[in-house]
Protein backbone atom coordinates (compact mmCIF):
# COMPACT_ATOMS: atom_id res chain seq x y z
CA UNK A 1 0.00 0.00 0.00
CA UNK A 2 2.91 2.32 0.71
CA UNK A 3 4.15 2.01 -2.83
CA UNK A 4 0.73 2.69 -4.37
CA UNK A 5 0.98 6.57 -4.53
CA UNK A 6 4.45 6.24 -6.08
CA UNK A 7 3.10 3.75 -8.64
CA UNK A 8 0.22 6.08 -9.48
CA UNK A 9 2.59 9.01 -9.93
CA UNK A 10 4.80 6.82 -12.16
CA UNK A 11 1.83 5.78 -14.27
CA UNK A 12 0.67 9.38 -14.53
CA UNK A 13 4.13 10.48 -15.67
CA UNK A 14 4.31 7.72 -18.27
CA UNK A 15 0.90 8.51 -19.67
CA UNK A 16 1.61 12.25 -19.67
CA UNK A 17 4.85 11.72 -21.60
CA UNK A 18 3.02 9.65 -24.21
CA UNK A 19 0.57 12.47 -24.94
CA UNK A 20 1.24 14.78 -27.89
CA UNK A 21 2.44 18.32 -27.22
CA UNK A 22 -0.90 20.10 -28.01
CA UNK A 23 -2.76 17.81 -25.65
CA UNK A 24 -0.14 18.36 -22.95
CA UNK A 25 -0.61 22.12 -23.23
CA UNK A 26 -4.39 21.83 -23.18
CA UNK A 27 -4.29 19.56 -20.13
CA UNK A 28 -1.92 21.91 -18.29
CA UNK A 29 -4.08 24.93 -19.11
CA UNK A 30 -7.20 23.10 -17.91
CA UNK A 31 -5.54 22.11 -14.64
CA UNK A 32 -4.23 25.66 -14.07
CA UNK A 33 -7.62 27.20 -14.88
CA UNK A 34 -9.42 24.79 -12.56
CA UNK A 35 -7.02 25.48 -9.70
CA UNK A 36 -7.20 29.25 -10.27
CA UNK A 37 -10.99 29.13 -10.39
CA UNK A 38 -11.22 27.17 -7.17
CA UNK A 39 -8.79 29.51 -5.41
CA UNK A 40 -10.64 32.56 -6.76
CA UNK A 41 -14.00 31.24 -5.58
CA UNK A 42 -12.73 30.64 -2.09
CA UNK A 43 -11.09 34.06 -1.95
CA UNK A 44 -14.30 35.68 -3.23
CA UNK A 45 -16.38 33.88 -0.62
CA UNK A 46 -14.05 35.06 2.13
CA UNK A 47 -13.83 38.68 0.90
CA UNK A 48 -15.69 41.21 3.09
CA UNK A 49 -18.82 42.90 1.77
CA UNK A 50 -18.64 46.65 1.18
CA UNK A 51 -21.50 49.06 1.81
CA UNK A 52 -22.00 52.78 1.21
CA UNK A 53 -20.55 55.00 3.90
CA UNK A 54 -21.40 58.37 2.30
CA UNK A 55 -22.63 59.38 -1.14
CA UNK A 56 -22.80 62.63 -3.12
CA UNK A 57 -19.78 64.00 -1.31
CA UNK A 58 -18.01 67.12 -2.41
CA UNK A 59 -14.34 66.91 -3.32
CA UNK A 60 -13.29 68.63 -0.13
CA UNK A 61 -15.34 66.32 2.09
CA UNK A 62 -14.24 63.23 0.16
CA UNK A 63 -10.59 64.16 0.62
CA UNK A 64 -11.02 64.84 4.34
CA UNK A 65 -12.88 61.56 4.91
CA UNK A 66 -10.37 59.44 2.97
CA UNK A 67 -7.52 61.00 4.96
CA UNK A 68 -9.35 60.16 8.20
CA UNK A 69 -9.97 56.57 7.03
CA UNK A 70 -6.30 56.14 6.20
CA UNK A 71 -5.37 57.29 9.70
CA UNK A 72 -7.83 54.72 11.13
CA UNK A 73 -6.38 51.95 8.90
CA UNK A 74 -9.90 51.27 7.62
CA UNK A 75 -10.10 49.79 4.08
CA UNK A 76 -12.35 51.70 1.71
CA UNK A 77 -13.34 51.93 -1.94
CA UNK A 78 -14.35 54.91 -4.03
CA UNK A 79 -16.93 55.09 -6.78
CA UNK A 80 -18.15 57.74 -9.16
CA UNK A 81 -20.46 60.43 -7.84
CA UNK A 82 -18.57 61.03 -4.60
CA UNK A 83 -19.45 57.64 -3.06
CA UNK A 84 -17.28 55.95 -0.42
CA UNK A 85 -17.61 52.24 0.40
CA UNK A 86 -16.36 50.53 3.54
CA UNK A 87 -16.76 47.07 5.03
CA UNK A 88 -20.34 46.34 6.05
CA UNK A 89 -19.45 45.58 9.68
CA UNK A 90 -17.70 48.95 10.09
CA UNK A 91 -20.25 51.32 8.52
CA UNK A 92 -21.91 52.64 11.67
CA UNK A 93 -18.73 52.63 13.73
CA UNK A 94 -16.94 54.76 11.12
CA UNK A 95 -19.89 57.13 10.80
CA UNK A 96 -19.82 57.79 14.53
CA UNK A 97 -16.06 58.37 14.53
CA UNK A 98 -16.25 60.72 11.54
CA UNK A 99 -19.16 62.61 13.07
CA UNK A 100 -16.98 63.27 16.12
CA UNK A 101 -14.54 64.96 13.72
CA UNK A 102 -17.39 67.02 12.18
CA UNK A 103 -17.22 65.09 8.91
CA UNK A 104 -18.69 65.40 6.42
CA UNK A 105 -19.32 69.11 6.53
CA UNK A 106 -21.78 68.98 3.65
CA UNK A 107 -19.82 71.34 1.45
CA UNK A 108 -21.05 74.34 3.43
CA UNK A 109 -18.85 76.49 5.65
CA UNK A 110 -20.23 78.40 8.59
CA UNK A 111 -19.00 81.10 10.88
CA UNK A 112 -15.61 79.37 11.15
CA UNK A 113 -14.66 81.65 8.26
CA UNK A 114 -14.54 84.47 10.81
CA UNK A 115 -12.24 82.56 13.19
CA UNK A 116 -9.04 83.45 11.35
CA UNK A 117 -9.45 86.82 9.66
CA UNK A 118 -6.84 87.71 7.11
CA UNK A 119 -4.70 90.76 7.53
CA UNK A 120 -5.71 93.55 5.21
CA UNK A 121 -9.29 92.40 4.55
CA UNK A 122 -11.50 95.12 3.18
CA UNK A 123 -15.00 95.84 4.43
CA UNK A 124 -16.46 94.26 1.32
CA UNK A 125 -14.53 91.04 1.90
CA UNK A 126 -15.69 90.95 5.52
CA UNK A 127 -19.29 91.38 4.40
CA UNK A 128 -18.94 88.54 1.87
CA UNK A 129 -17.36 86.26 4.50
CA UNK A 130 -20.17 87.03 6.92
CA UNK A 131 -22.80 86.32 4.28
CA UNK A 132 -21.14 83.00 3.36
CA UNK A 133 -21.03 82.04 7.03
CA UNK A 134 -24.71 82.90 7.45
CA UNK A 135 -25.64 80.80 4.41
CA UNK A 136 -23.62 77.84 5.69
CA UNK A 137 -25.10 78.00 9.18
CA UNK A 138 -28.65 78.12 7.78
CA UNK A 139 -27.90 75.13 5.52
CA UNK A 140 -26.54 73.14 8.46
CA UNK A 141 -29.63 73.94 10.49
CA UNK A 142 -31.94 72.72 7.71
CA UNK A 143 -29.96 69.49 7.39
CA UNK A 144 -30.97 68.70 10.97
CA UNK A 145 -34.49 67.98 9.67
CA UNK A 146 -35.17 64.28 9.23
CA UNK A 147 -36.44 64.64 5.64
CA UNK A 148 -33.61 66.88 4.41
CA UNK A 149 -30.43 65.28 3.16
CA UNK A 150 -28.64 68.48 2.19
CA UNK A 151 -29.49 72.14 1.63
CA UNK A 152 -28.05 75.26 0.06
CA UNK A 153 -29.01 78.82 0.92
CA UNK A 154 -28.45 81.92 -1.20
CA UNK A 155 -28.93 85.31 0.44
CA UNK A 156 -29.32 88.51 -1.53
CA UNK A 157 -28.57 91.26 0.98
CA UNK A 158 -28.54 94.72 -0.64
CA UNK A 159 -26.10 97.39 0.33
CA UNK A 160 -27.57 99.65 3.02
CA UNK A 161 -28.50 103.16 1.93
CA UNK A 162 -29.34 106.28 3.91
CA UNK A 163 -31.99 107.28 1.37
CA UNK A 164 -35.40 105.72 1.87
CA UNK A 165 -36.16 105.90 -1.83
CA UNK A 166 -33.13 103.73 -2.67
CA UNK A 167 -33.68 101.25 0.16
CA UNK A 168 -34.18 97.63 -0.98
CA UNK A 169 -35.43 94.59 0.91
CA UNK A 170 -33.27 91.44 1.20
CA UNK A 171 -34.37 88.12 -0.31
CA UNK A 172 -33.35 84.47 0.00
CA UNK A 173 -33.46 81.28 -2.07
CA UNK A 174 -33.28 77.78 -0.56
CA UNK A 175 -32.54 74.52 -2.42
CA UNK A 176 -33.62 71.41 -0.48
CA UNK A 177 -32.28 67.96 -1.35
CA UNK A 178 -34.62 65.40 0.23
CA UNK A 179 -33.93 61.80 1.14
CA UNK A 180 -35.36 59.22 -1.31
CA UNK A 181 -39.05 58.71 -0.69
CA UNK A 182 -39.39 61.70 1.65
CA UNK A 183 -41.55 64.81 1.18
CA UNK A 184 -42.06 68.07 3.03
CA UNK A 185 -45.44 69.01 4.46
CA UNK A 186 -46.71 72.58 3.90
CA UNK A 187 -46.15 73.28 7.57
CA UNK A 188 -42.52 72.18 7.30
CA UNK A 189 -42.02 74.44 4.29
CA UNK A 190 -43.43 77.37 6.24
CA UNK A 191 -41.12 76.58 9.15
CA UNK A 192 -38.11 76.71 6.80
CA UNK A 193 -39.35 80.03 5.39
CA UNK A 194 -39.76 81.56 8.85
CA UNK A 195 -36.40 80.13 9.94
CA UNK A 196 -34.63 81.99 7.14
CA UNK A 197 -36.66 85.19 7.49
CA UNK A 198 -36.05 85.30 11.25
CA UNK A 199 -32.29 84.93 10.79
CA UNK A 200 -31.81 87.84 8.37
CA UNK A 201 -32.79 91.37 9.42
CA UNK A 202 -35.69 92.98 7.51
CA UNK A 203 -36.24 89.79 5.47
CA UNK A 204 -39.94 89.21 4.84
CA UNK A 205 -41.27 85.63 4.59
CA UNK A 206 -42.79 86.57 1.22
CA UNK A 207 -39.26 87.12 -0.14
CA UNK A 208 -38.08 83.57 0.67
CA UNK A 209 -38.26 80.92 -2.08
CA UNK A 210 -37.89 77.18 -1.37
CA UNK A 211 -37.20 74.69 -4.20
CA UNK A 212 -36.56 70.93 -4.00
CA UNK A 213 -34.00 68.90 -5.95
CA UNK A 214 -36.54 68.17 -8.72
CA UNK A 215 -37.13 71.88 -9.36
CA UNK A 216 -40.57 71.93 -7.73
CA UNK A 217 -41.50 75.27 -6.17
CA UNK A 218 -42.54 74.59 -2.57
CA UNK A 219 -43.55 78.17 -1.77
CA UNK A 220 -45.88 80.57 -3.55
CA UNK A 221 -46.73 84.23 -3.38
CA UNK A 222 -50.12 83.88 -1.66
CA UNK A 223 -48.64 82.69 1.64
CA UNK A 224 -49.36 79.04 1.09
CA UNK A 225 -52.95 79.39 -0.11
CA UNK A 226 -54.40 76.53 -2.11
CA UNK A 227 -56.80 76.57 -5.01
CA UNK A 228 -59.67 76.71 -2.51
CA UNK A 229 -58.36 79.97 -1.10
CA UNK A 230 -57.33 78.42 2.23
CA UNK A 231 -53.85 78.37 3.64
CA UNK A 232 -52.26 75.42 5.37
CA UNK A 233 -53.37 76.49 8.85
CA UNK A 234 -56.97 76.79 7.75
CA UNK A 235 -56.86 73.40 6.05
CA UNK A 236 -55.44 71.84 9.19
CA UNK A 237 -58.21 73.47 11.21
CA UNK A 238 -60.86 72.03 8.85
CA UNK A 239 -59.34 68.55 9.12
CA UNK A 240 -59.23 68.84 12.89
CA UNK A 241 -62.89 69.87 13.07
CA UNK A 242 -63.92 66.99 10.81
CA UNK A 243 -61.81 64.51 12.78
CA UNK A 244 -63.29 65.66 16.09
CA UNK A 245 -66.85 65.26 14.82
CA UNK A 246 -66.07 61.82 13.37
CA UNK A 247 -64.44 60.60 16.58
CA UNK A 248 -67.35 61.88 18.65
CA UNK A 249 -69.86 60.02 16.45
CA UNK A 250 -67.86 56.78 16.39
CA UNK A 251 -67.32 56.79 20.16
CA UNK A 252 -71.01 57.14 21.00
CA UNK A 253 -72.28 54.69 18.34
CA UNK A 254 -69.62 52.05 19.08
CA UNK A 255 -71.03 51.77 22.59
CA UNK A 256 -74.13 50.17 20.98
CA UNK A 257 -72.80 48.23 17.99
CA UNK A 258 -69.34 47.47 19.34
CA UNK A 259 -65.87 48.73 18.59
CA UNK A 260 -64.84 48.52 14.94
CA UNK A 261 -68.43 48.16 13.70
CA UNK A 262 -69.00 51.83 12.81
CA UNK A 263 -67.24 54.21 10.44
CA UNK A 264 -68.03 57.92 10.20
CA UNK A 265 -66.92 60.60 7.77
CA UNK A 266 -67.69 64.30 8.24
CA UNK A 267 -67.47 67.08 5.69
CA UNK A 268 -67.38 70.52 7.31
CA UNK A 269 -67.98 73.72 5.39
CA UNK A 270 -66.38 76.53 7.37
CA UNK A 271 -66.53 80.28 6.84
CA UNK A 272 -63.18 81.99 7.35
CA UNK A 273 -64.36 85.42 6.19
CA UNK A 274 -63.96 88.18 8.77
CA UNK A 275 -66.84 90.71 9.08
CA UNK A 276 -67.79 93.43 11.54
CA UNK A 277 -71.09 95.43 11.73
CA UNK A 278 -72.34 98.29 13.91
CA UNK A 279 -76.07 99.20 14.10
CA UNK A 280 -77.90 101.98 15.99
CA UNK A 281 -81.69 101.83 16.40
CA UNK A 282 -84.27 104.17 18.06
CA UNK A 283 -87.65 103.16 19.45
CA UNK A 284 -90.74 105.37 19.86
CA UNK A 285 -90.91 107.37 23.09
CA UNK A 286 -92.66 105.44 25.87
CA UNK A 287 -94.80 106.94 28.62
CA UNK A 288 -93.14 109.48 30.95
CA UNK A 289 -93.42 107.06 33.85
CA UNK A 290 -91.36 104.42 31.97
CA UNK A 291 -88.70 106.84 30.77
CA UNK A 292 -85.35 107.41 32.40
CA UNK A 293 -84.55 111.02 33.32
CA UNK A 294 -81.30 112.18 31.81
CA UNK A 295 -81.20 115.70 33.39
CA UNK A 296 -83.61 117.95 35.29
CA UNK A 297 -83.47 121.73 35.96
CA UNK A 298 -85.84 123.80 38.17
CA UNK A 299 -85.79 127.61 38.65
CA UNK A 300 -88.08 129.37 41.16
CA UNK A 301 -87.77 133.18 41.66
CA UNK A 302 -90.00 134.90 44.33
CA UNK A 303 -89.43 138.60 45.36
CA UNK A 304 -91.44 139.92 48.34
CA UNK A 305 -89.45 143.20 49.00
CA UNK A 306 -91.55 146.50 48.95
CA UNK A 307 -88.68 148.79 47.97
CA UNK A 308 -86.05 146.79 46.29
CA UNK A 309 -82.72 148.30 45.48
CA UNK A 310 -82.89 150.16 42.23
CA UNK A 311 -80.82 152.52 40.22
CA UNK A 312 -77.54 152.31 38.55
CA UNK A 313 -74.85 150.91 40.78
CA UNK A 314 -72.31 153.52 41.64
CA UNK A 315 -71.72 156.71 43.64
CA UNK A 316 -74.83 158.54 42.43
CA UNK A 317 -77.13 155.80 43.61
CA UNK A 318 -75.60 155.86 47.05
CA UNK A 319 -76.41 159.61 47.48
CA UNK A 320 -79.11 160.43 49.96
CA UNK A 321 -82.42 161.44 48.39
CA UNK A 322 -83.30 165.10 48.07
CA UNK A 323 -86.16 166.77 49.85
CA UNK A 324 -89.47 165.42 48.92
CA UNK A 325 -91.80 167.69 46.94
CA UNK A 326 -95.29 166.90 46.00
CA UNK A 327 -97.62 168.95 43.82
CA UNK A 328 -100.86 170.00 45.23
CA UNK A 329 -102.89 168.47 42.48
CA UNK A 330 -101.01 165.19 41.92
CA UNK A 331 -103.04 162.28 40.54
CA UNK A 332 -103.52 159.31 42.75
CA UNK A 333 -100.66 156.88 42.58
CA UNK A 334 -98.26 159.39 41.19
CA UNK A 335 -94.85 159.52 42.74
CA UNK A 336 -93.34 162.64 44.01
CA UNK A 337 -89.85 161.48 43.10
CA UNK A 338 -88.12 158.95 40.97
CA UNK A 339 -87.48 156.42 43.74
CA UNK A 340 -91.03 156.52 44.83
CA UNK A 341 -92.29 155.81 41.30
CA UNK A 342 -89.99 152.81 40.88
CA UNK A 343 -91.08 151.26 44.08
CA UNK A 344 -94.68 151.66 43.20
CA UNK A 345 -94.19 150.09 39.85
CA UNK A 346 -92.73 146.84 41.33
CA UNK A 347 -95.68 146.23 43.54
CA UNK A 348 -95.66 144.18 46.67
CA UNK A 349 -95.00 140.42 45.54
CA UNK A 350 -93.32 138.86 42.39
CA UNK A 351 -92.92 135.13 41.48
CA UNK A 352 -91.29 133.11 38.56
CA UNK A 353 -91.00 129.29 38.15
CA UNK A 354 -89.15 127.26 35.49
CA UNK A 355 -88.88 123.43 35.28
CA UNK A 356 -86.86 121.63 32.54
CA UNK A 357 -86.73 117.78 32.37
CA UNK A 358 -84.63 115.89 29.73
CA UNK A 359 -85.46 112.18 29.20
CA UNK A 360 -83.09 109.50 27.72
CA UNK A 361 -83.75 108.34 24.20
CA UNK A 362 -84.58 104.63 23.67
CA UNK A 363 -81.52 103.91 21.53
CA UNK A 364 -79.77 100.54 20.85
CA UNK A 365 -76.17 100.29 19.53
CA UNK A 366 -75.08 96.81 18.40
CA UNK A 367 -71.50 95.91 17.33
CA UNK A 368 -71.28 92.47 15.74
CA UNK A 369 -68.04 90.62 14.77
CA UNK A 370 -68.34 87.19 13.15
CA UNK A 371 -65.79 84.61 14.42
CA UNK A 372 -63.31 82.99 12.04
CA UNK A 373 -63.98 79.37 11.16
CA UNK A 374 -67.70 79.50 11.73
CA UNK A 375 -69.45 76.27 10.76
CA UNK A 376 -71.74 76.90 7.82
CA UNK A 377 -72.81 73.34 7.08
CA UNK A 378 -72.06 69.76 8.17
CA UNK A 379 -72.48 66.61 6.09
CA UNK A 380 -72.18 63.33 7.98
CA UNK A 381 -72.05 59.81 6.54
CA UNK A 382 -72.15 56.83 8.92
CA UNK A 383 -71.84 53.14 8.05
CA UNK A 384 -72.87 50.57 10.69
CA UNK A 385 -71.95 46.92 10.40
CA UNK A 386 -74.43 44.07 10.59
CA UNK A 387 -74.96 42.29 13.87
CA UNK A 388 -72.19 39.82 14.54
CA UNK A 389 -72.83 36.16 13.79
CA UNK A 390 -74.03 33.99 16.67
CA UNK A 391 -74.31 30.24 17.15
CA UNK A 392 -77.62 28.43 16.89
CA UNK A 393 -78.88 25.52 18.97
CA UNK A 394 -76.71 23.07 17.04
CA UNK A 395 -73.59 25.17 17.56
CA UNK A 396 -73.35 26.27 13.95
CA UNK A 397 -72.49 29.96 13.30
CA UNK A 398 -75.33 31.94 11.77
CA UNK A 399 -75.06 34.69 9.19
CA UNK A 400 -74.78 38.36 10.25
CA UNK A 401 -78.17 40.05 10.44
CA UNK A 402 -79.03 43.70 9.67
CA UNK A 403 -80.23 46.14 12.30
CA UNK A 404 -83.90 46.75 12.85
CA UNK A 405 -85.52 50.05 11.78
CA UNK A 406 -85.93 51.02 15.43
CA UNK A 407 -82.21 50.50 16.06
CA UNK A 408 -81.31 52.52 12.96
CA UNK A 409 -83.58 55.33 14.07
CA UNK A 410 -81.95 55.30 17.49
CA UNK A 411 -78.48 55.50 15.96
CA UNK A 412 -79.65 58.29 13.65
CA UNK A 413 -80.87 60.32 16.62
CA UNK A 414 -77.60 59.77 18.47
CA UNK A 415 -75.62 60.97 15.46
CA UNK A 416 -77.77 64.10 15.17
CA UNK A 417 -77.33 64.96 18.82
CA UNK A 418 -73.59 64.26 18.73
CA UNK A 419 -72.96 66.53 15.76
CA UNK A 420 -75.35 69.28 16.85
CA UNK A 421 -77.69 68.91 13.89
CA UNK A 422 -79.10 72.24 12.66
CA UNK A 423 -81.64 72.10 9.85
CA UNK A 424 -81.52 75.87 9.31
CA UNK A 425 -77.91 75.79 8.15
CA UNK A 426 -78.55 72.79 5.86
CA UNK A 427 -76.93 69.94 7.81
CA UNK A 428 -77.41 66.42 6.44
CA UNK A 429 -77.03 62.97 8.01
CA UNK A 430 -76.98 59.61 6.23
CA UNK A 431 -76.82 56.38 8.26
CA UNK A 432 -76.38 53.15 6.31
CA UNK A 433 -76.46 49.60 7.66
CA UNK A 434 -74.27 47.25 5.61
CA UNK A 435 -72.04 44.22 6.13
CA UNK A 436 -68.37 45.08 6.46
CA UNK A 437 -65.85 43.29 4.27
CA UNK A 438 -63.37 41.45 6.42
CA UNK A 439 -59.81 42.31 5.53
CA UNK A 440 -57.06 40.29 7.09
CA UNK A 441 -53.98 42.37 7.51
CA UNK A 442 -50.81 40.41 7.98
CA UNK A 443 -48.72 42.75 10.05
CA UNK A 444 -45.90 40.20 10.39
CA UNK A 445 -43.14 40.44 7.84
CA UNK A 446 -43.01 37.29 5.67
CA UNK A 447 -39.94 35.14 5.95
CA UNK A 448 -38.92 35.87 2.38
CA UNK A 449 -39.11 39.64 3.05
CA UNK A 450 -37.23 39.73 6.34
CA UNK A 451 -33.90 41.55 5.77
CA UNK A 452 -32.05 39.20 8.11
CA UNK A 453 -33.39 36.13 6.34
CA UNK A 454 -32.56 37.64 2.96
CA UNK A 455 -28.98 38.31 4.01
CA UNK A 456 -28.60 34.79 5.43
CA UNK A 457 -30.11 33.23 2.30
CA UNK A 458 -27.78 35.30 0.14
CA UNK A 459 -24.71 34.09 2.00
CA UNK A 460 -25.95 30.49 1.97
CA UNK A 461 -26.65 30.60 -1.76
CA UNK A 462 -23.21 32.03 -2.43
CA UNK A 463 -21.52 29.31 -0.39
CA UNK A 464 -23.57 26.58 -2.05
CA UNK A 465 -22.69 27.93 -5.47
CA UNK A 466 -18.99 27.97 -4.63
CA UNK A 467 -19.14 24.48 -3.17
CA UNK A 468 -21.04 23.14 -6.21
CA UNK A 469 -18.57 24.60 -8.68
CA UNK A 470 -15.61 23.30 -6.71
CA UNK A 471 -17.19 19.84 -6.43
CA UNK A 472 -17.85 19.73 -10.16
CA UNK A 473 -14.32 20.82 -11.04
CA UNK A 474 -12.70 18.31 -8.71
CA UNK A 475 -14.88 15.26 -9.24
CA UNK A 476 -16.24 15.99 -12.69
CA UNK A 477 -13.17 17.32 -14.47
CA UNK A 478 -9.95 16.71 -12.57
CA UNK A 479 -10.70 13.27 -11.16
CA UNK A 480 -11.56 11.60 -14.52
CA UNK A 481 -8.47 13.13 -16.11
CA UNK A 482 -6.20 12.02 -13.30
CA UNK A 483 -7.76 8.56 -13.18
CA UNK A 484 -7.27 8.11 -16.91
CA UNK A 485 -3.70 9.32 -16.65
CA UNK A 486 -2.97 6.98 -13.71
CA UNK A 487 -3.98 3.77 -15.56
CA UNK A 488 -1.27 1.21 -16.30
CA UNK A 489 -0.16 1.54 -19.94
CA UNK A 490 -0.80 -1.48 -22.15
CA UNK A 491 2.35 -3.28 -23.32
CA UNK A 492 2.82 -3.36 -27.07
CA UNK A 493 1.79 -6.57 -28.89
CA UNK A 494 -0.53 -7.68 -26.10
CA UNK A 495 -3.42 -7.97 -28.52
CA UNK A 496 -1.76 -10.91 -30.38
CA UNK A 497 -1.14 -13.00 -27.31
CA UNK A 498 -3.67 -15.68 -26.49
CA UNK A 499 -6.93 -16.60 -28.05
CA UNK A 500 -10.23 -15.07 -27.11
CA UNK A 501 -11.35 -16.44 -23.81
CA UNK A 502 -7.88 -17.73 -22.86
CA UNK A 503 -5.87 -16.46 -19.86
CA UNK A 504 -2.46 -14.88 -20.10
CA UNK A 505 0.68 -15.87 -18.34
CA UNK A 506 -0.45 -14.42 -15.01
CA UNK A 507 -3.94 -15.97 -15.24
CA UNK A 508 -5.60 -12.81 -16.21
CA UNK A 509 -7.95 -12.51 -19.24
CA UNK A 510 -6.43 -11.35 -22.49
CA UNK A 511 -6.84 -7.72 -23.30
CA UNK A 512 -9.50 -7.27 -25.93
CA UNK A 513 -9.26 -4.99 -28.87
CA UNK A 514 -11.33 -1.82 -28.95
CA UNK A 515 -13.39 -3.27 -31.79
CA UNK A 516 -14.93 -5.90 -29.54
CA UNK A 517 -18.39 -5.08 -28.43
CA UNK A 518 -19.52 -4.83 -24.87
CA UNK A 519 -21.44 -8.11 -25.06
CA UNK A 520 -18.42 -10.01 -26.28
CA UNK A 521 -16.24 -8.63 -23.49
CA UNK A 522 -18.90 -9.51 -20.91
CA UNK A 523 -19.17 -13.06 -22.26
CA UNK A 524 -15.42 -13.52 -22.09
CA UNK A 525 -15.30 -12.23 -18.52
CA UNK A 526 -18.05 -14.66 -17.49
CA UNK A 527 -16.21 -17.57 -19.14
CA UNK A 528 -12.98 -16.61 -17.40
CA UNK A 529 -14.77 -16.40 -14.06
CA UNK A 530 -16.17 -19.91 -14.54
CA UNK A 531 -12.80 -21.37 -15.45
CA UNK A 532 -10.74 -19.78 -12.70
CA UNK A 533 -12.96 -18.42 -9.86
CA UNK A 534 -10.02 -18.05 -7.48
CA UNK A 535 -8.23 -15.56 -9.70
CA UNK A 536 -11.48 -13.70 -10.29
CA UNK A 537 -12.06 -13.41 -6.54
CA UNK A 538 -8.52 -12.08 -6.03
CA UNK A 539 -9.07 -9.44 -8.72
CA UNK A 540 -12.36 -8.27 -7.19
CA UNK A 541 -10.74 -8.20 -3.74
CA UNK A 542 -7.90 -6.06 -5.08
CA UNK A 543 -10.43 -3.62 -6.63
CA UNK A 544 -12.25 -3.30 -3.34
CA UNK A 545 -9.02 -2.61 -1.47
CA UNK A 546 -8.16 0.15 -3.93
CA UNK A 547 -11.59 1.79 -3.57
Amino acid sequence: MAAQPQQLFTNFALRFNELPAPRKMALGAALAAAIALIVGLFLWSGAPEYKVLFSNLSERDAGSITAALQQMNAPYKTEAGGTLLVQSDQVYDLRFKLAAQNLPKGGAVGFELMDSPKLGMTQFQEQIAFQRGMEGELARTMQALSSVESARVHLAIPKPSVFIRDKQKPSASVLINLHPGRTLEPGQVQSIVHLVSSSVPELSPNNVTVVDQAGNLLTNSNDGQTALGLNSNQLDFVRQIESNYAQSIESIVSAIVGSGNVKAQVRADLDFSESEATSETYRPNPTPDAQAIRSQQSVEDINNAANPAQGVPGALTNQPPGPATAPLNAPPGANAGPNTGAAGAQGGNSSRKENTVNFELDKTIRHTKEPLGRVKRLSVAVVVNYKSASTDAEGQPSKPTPLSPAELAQINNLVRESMGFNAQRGDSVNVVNAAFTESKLDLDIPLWKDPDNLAMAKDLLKNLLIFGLAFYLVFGVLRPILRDMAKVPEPPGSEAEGEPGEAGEEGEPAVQSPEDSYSEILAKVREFAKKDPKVTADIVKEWMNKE
Side-chain angles (χ1 to χ4, degrees), residues 198-427:
S198 302
S199 302
V200 180
E202 299 183 0
L203 177 58
S204 174
N206 296 329
N207 294 335
V208 179
T209 304
V210 181
V211 183
D212 62 1
Q213 71 272 20
N216 299 320
L217 182 63
L218 304 181
T219 56
N220 46 27
S221 58
N222 56 358
D223 195 15
Q225 290 185 351
T226 61
L228 299 177
L230 303 179
N231 56 32
S232 59
N233 295 330
Q234 293 174 348
L235 289 176
D236 293 340
F237 181 72
V238 172
R239 296 191 187 99
Q240 182 180 0
I241 292 295
E242 294 174 348
S243 177
N244 291 339
Y245 276 111
Q247 290 178 2
S248 177
I249 293 171
E250 290 180 358
S251 62
I252 193 171
V253 177
S254 61
I256 300 176
V257 299
S259 178
N261 292 323
V262 58
K263 298 294 182 183
Q265 291 291 335
V266 180
R267 172 67 183 274
D269 186 7
L270 304 182
D271 185 10
F272 290 98
S273 60
E274 185 177 2
S275 61
E276 295 184 8
T278 303
S279 61
E280 184 175 349
T281 59
Y282 296 89
R283 296 182 60 189
N285 293 331
T287 59
D289 296 337
Q291 288 181 322
I293 298 176
R294 180 178 183 181
S295 63
Q296 185 175 2
Q297 180 180 4
S298 297
V299 177
E300 185 176 359
D301 188 5
I302 300 175
N303 189 2
N304 294 326
N307 294 318
Q310 294 182 0
V312 180
L316 296 177
T317 306
N318 295 330
Q319 295 291 331
T325 58
L328 294 178
N329 296 323
N335 294 329
N339 293 336
T340 309
Q346 291 293 333
N349 296 324
S350 62
S351 177
R352 184 170 63 91
K353 293 183 179 181
E354 292 183 6
N355 189 9
T356 303
V357 179
N358 295 324
F359 295 95
E360 287 286 357
L361 298 177
D362 192 358
K363 181 177 65 173
T364 302
I365 300 176
R366 182 178 291 105
H367 181 76
T368 305
K369 182 178 181 180
E370 295 291 341
L372 293 176
R374 180 173 56 89
V375 178
K376 296 173 58 178
R377 187 174 182 272
L378 290 177
S379 300
V380 179
V382 181
V383 180
V384 183
N385 193 12
Y386 279 2
K387 293 182 180 179
S388 59
S390 60
T391 56
D392 53 11
E394 298 179 357
Q396 299 294 332
S398 59
K399 295 182 179 181
T401 57
L403 301 177
S404 62
E407 292 174 337
L408 283 178
Q410 183 181 13
I411 293 175
N412 197 345
N413 294 332
L414 287 176
V415 172
R416 288 172 177 263
E417 294 296 332
S418 179
M419 62 174 285
F421 182 81
N422 188 353
Q424 295 180 356
R425 65 186 182 188
D427 293 350

